[in-house]
Amino acid sequence: TVRQRYTMAPYIYTMARRAYDDAVALCRPMYYDYPKAQEAYDFRNEYMFGDQMIVSPITAPMKGRYSMQTTWLPEGEWFELATGSLLRGGQTVERSYAIDEYPIFVKAGSVIPLYTDKVQNLQKNDEDVVVAVFPGEKGGCFSMYEDNGDDQQYDTEYATTKLTSRV
């Protein structure tokens, strides 16, 4: 939904800057990050969304009020964003989703900057940032990118803030 995108804007904006700096796409096929895993080729609709998330779009028709979706999770541990459930990677998981639910999974150990759900638009960028920490074996870090958001000085006038978690 639009609200979810607004909430994720600090993460998305940072990953967009990474695309600008390093030519690493925000949305990319799974086999870019997991080239040796056959599932990365088999689950064609799944994609990495930045470095810490997997999105598994629902492409099956609904049966009643739900659609069944099978998602491949690479090795490691993953959190289902909607439920907070911790899932073991290296397997496929199947779950039913209502029309307003999205299969998004976050790597354990990720640190994700978000806006609160009160953000109504992205006309200004002085909103409070909430840092979501997804526990993991080693902890994690994220370098959040910020600029003033309304001119062409993004290349030279910006800040990065290192966000870290420790076990």
Side-chain angles (χ1 to χ4, degrees):
T1 68
V2 171
R3 280 214 195 268
Q4 188 171 26
R5 185 176 58 125
Y6 287 172
T7 300
M8 297 174 95
Y11 174 76
I12 294 168
Y13 204 59
T14 300
M15 291 293 103
R17 177 61 192 229
R18 180 161 182 234
Y20 174 80
D21 288 339
D22 302 330
V24 176
L26 169 65
C27 298
R28 57 188 180 268
M30 296 298 292
Y31 57 79
Y32 279 23
D33 289 48
Y34 302 96
K36 294 182 180 179
Q38 183 59 45
E39 294 88 347
Y41 301 87
D42 295 341
F43 285 79
R44 296 176 188 205
N45 293 326
E46 250 175 71
Y47 59 90
M48 292 298 297
F49 187 63
D51 296 334
Q52 286 82 23
M53 295 184 194
I54 292 174
V55 176
S56 180
I58 299 170
T59 56
M62 294 183 80
K63 292 184 180 172
R65 295 173 40 137
Y66 297 95
S67 289
M68 289 301 292
Q69 179 69 13
T70 302
T71 302
W72 169 65
L73 298 175
E75 290 296 325
E77 293 181 321
W78 297 85
F79 285 90
E80 184 177 26
L81 189 60
T83 64
S85 299
L86 178 62
L87 302 167
R88 183 176 40 84
Q91 67 171 339
T92 58
V93 293
E94 186 175 57
R95 177 162 111 57
S96 60
Y97 292 89
I99 197 163
D100 62 344
E101 295 179 306
Y102 300 94
I104 300 173
F105 301 86
V106 181
K107 282 183 190 178
S110 293
V111 177
I112 309 284
L114 304 166
Y115 286 147
T116 66
D117 59 1
K118 296 176 185 171
V119 173
Q120 299 292 315
N121 62 59
L122 299 176
Q123 295 300 314
K124 53 186 179 160
N125 64 351
D126 60 350
E127 304 291 343
D128 292 337
V129 173
V130 175
V131 179
V133 177
F134 296 83
E137 213 173 278
K138 300 177 184 176
C141 69
F142 188 86
S143 185
M144 184 177 71
Y145 167 81
E146 297 176 277
D147 62 26
N148 71 7
D150 66 356
D151 63 25
Q152 297 297 313
Q153 302 304 316
Y154 60 86
D155 199 26
T156 57
E157 296 179 14
Y158 63 90
T160 56
T161 303
K162 188 172 184 181
L163 308 170
T164 60
S165 70
R166 294 192 181 140
V167 180

